[in-house]
Amino acid sequence: DSGVTQTPKHLITATGQRVTLRCSPRSGDLSVYWYQQSLDQGLQFLIQYYNGEERAKGNILERFSAQQFPDLHSELNLSSLELGDSALYFCASSPMGGASGELFFGEGSRLTVL
Amino acid sequence: AQSVSQHNHHVILSEAASLELGCNYSYGGTVNLFWYVQYPGQHLQLLLKYFSGDPLVKGIKGFEAEFIKSKFSFNLRKPSVQWSDTAEYFCAVIANNNAGNMLTFGGGTRLMVKP
């Protein structure tokens, strides 16, 4: 158990819909990261938040947005869903800004878009 | 920006065989290097890491990796694999310059160990 909690574990929805994925970091960790894992794209970095502020942005679509709340949990919002958004979405956390690169991953939220 | 290549996408070995998974990165500066492992149905977890010092690093479960700076490589090795090593292995790199860089992963290598 990494200490990072993600909900829901599985989610099935239809194209055009909107979903929210939630992540609670390890106790004391200030940084939260979102990654998308798909068969054809591998592990793609989406976005990082550090203590409530956006820190780094990767290959995140405009239809996707995220935020980190004062209690440090984070939500990833995916809207106008397309079939290609079906993937495993991982959240990870680290104590500080993550400059060392050592991250602690949650078990992921598997999104299926039909 | 850095990138990571893992040349072996799928590897099948018998128990007790030796393992070496290749990882090459592209970045001209100092880097921190990692191997993460994802067992079936589980989250990614850190196998080993290299920040500085001895280029041969040892991780959990008998794994080790060697950083060869001249070759931009960080290959993962294990002398004798077990069935329980069946998993997907990801090499990752982050530039060590405190410039808000992101951890970049390779495409992963799926290892299947036959009993």
Side-chain angles (χ1 to χ4, degrees):
Chain A
D1 183 6
S2 66
V4 178
T5 304
Q6 288 188 247
T7 56
K9 287 189 173 13
H10 300 275
L11 190 55
I12 301 174
T13 189
T15 54
Q17 296 298 304
R18 172 190 169 94
V19 298
T20 297
L21 309 180
R22 182 189 167 99
C23 169
S24 294
R26 290 188 323 156
S27 177
D29 283 359
L30 299 178
S31 275
V32 169
Y33 308 76
W34 287 97
Y35 281 83
Q36 178 193 58
Q37 186 182 32
S38 59
L39 285 175
D40 55 343
Q41 300 267 354
L43 259 172
Q44 296 286 318
F45 169 72
L46 296 179
I47 198 163
Q48 177 200 358
Y49 279 83
Y50 173 71
N51 205 19
E53 302 282 332
E54 183 182 303
R55 178 77 175 250
K57 213 166 186 176
N59 300 321
I60 187 165
L61 300 172
E62 285 191 12
R63 301 184 284 108
F64 296 180
S65 64
Q67 55 184 326
Q68 187 180 28
F69 294 87
D71 67 352
L72 301 177
H73 90 271
S74 177
E75 292 181 356
L76 178 67
N77 300 296
L78 315 174
S79 62
S80 301
L81 286 167
E82 302 175 359
L83 296 177
D85 297 328
S86 295
L88 193 53
Y89 291 85
F90 282 109
C91 170
S93 72
S94 68
M96 299 296 287
S100 73
E102 184 171 356
L103 306 183
F104 298 87
F105 283 82
E107 294 191 359
S109 292
R110 184 172 294 281
L111 172 66
T112 302
V113 182
L114 301 175
Chain B
Q2 63 266 24
S3 65
V4 183
S5 295
Q6 292 179 241
H7 308 296
N8 313 103
H9 297 295
H10 292 89
V11 173
I12 301 174
L13 295 173
S14 298
E15 275 194 316
S18 64
L19 170 72
E20 180 159 5
L21 302 182
C23 171
N24 287 91
Y25 68 92
S26 65
Y27 182 73
T30 306
V31 293
N32 292 344
L33 295 153
F34 304 81
W35 277 96
Y36 281 83
V37 60
Q38 186 177 23
Y39 296 103
Q42 295 188 27
H43 62 277
L44 280 87
Q45 53 189 288
L46 184 66
L47 200 54
L48 49 77
K49 61 188 177 186
Y50 172 80
F51 288 177
S52 63
D54 187 345
L56 184 62
V57 293
K58 295 191 185 299
I60 60 172
K61 304 186 181 186
F63 285 90
E64 65 179 31
E66 185 175 12
F67 171 50
I68 302 179
K69 190 174 181 179
S70 61
K71 294 185 178 181
F72 297 90
S73 69
F74 190 56
N75 292 352
L76 180 71
R77 299 194 293 248
K78 185 171 184 179
S80 176
V81 295
Q82 301 173 312
W83 176 78
S84 58
D85 294 324
T86 294
E88 188 160 16
Y89 293 81
F90 293 90
C91 182
V93 62
I94 188 168
N96 186 5
N97 59 15
N98 293 320
N101 298 293
M102 64 192 78
L103 185 64
T104 301
F105 286 87
T109 298
R110 287 185 184 270
L111 171 66
M112 178 184 291
V113 180
K114 298 184 294 184

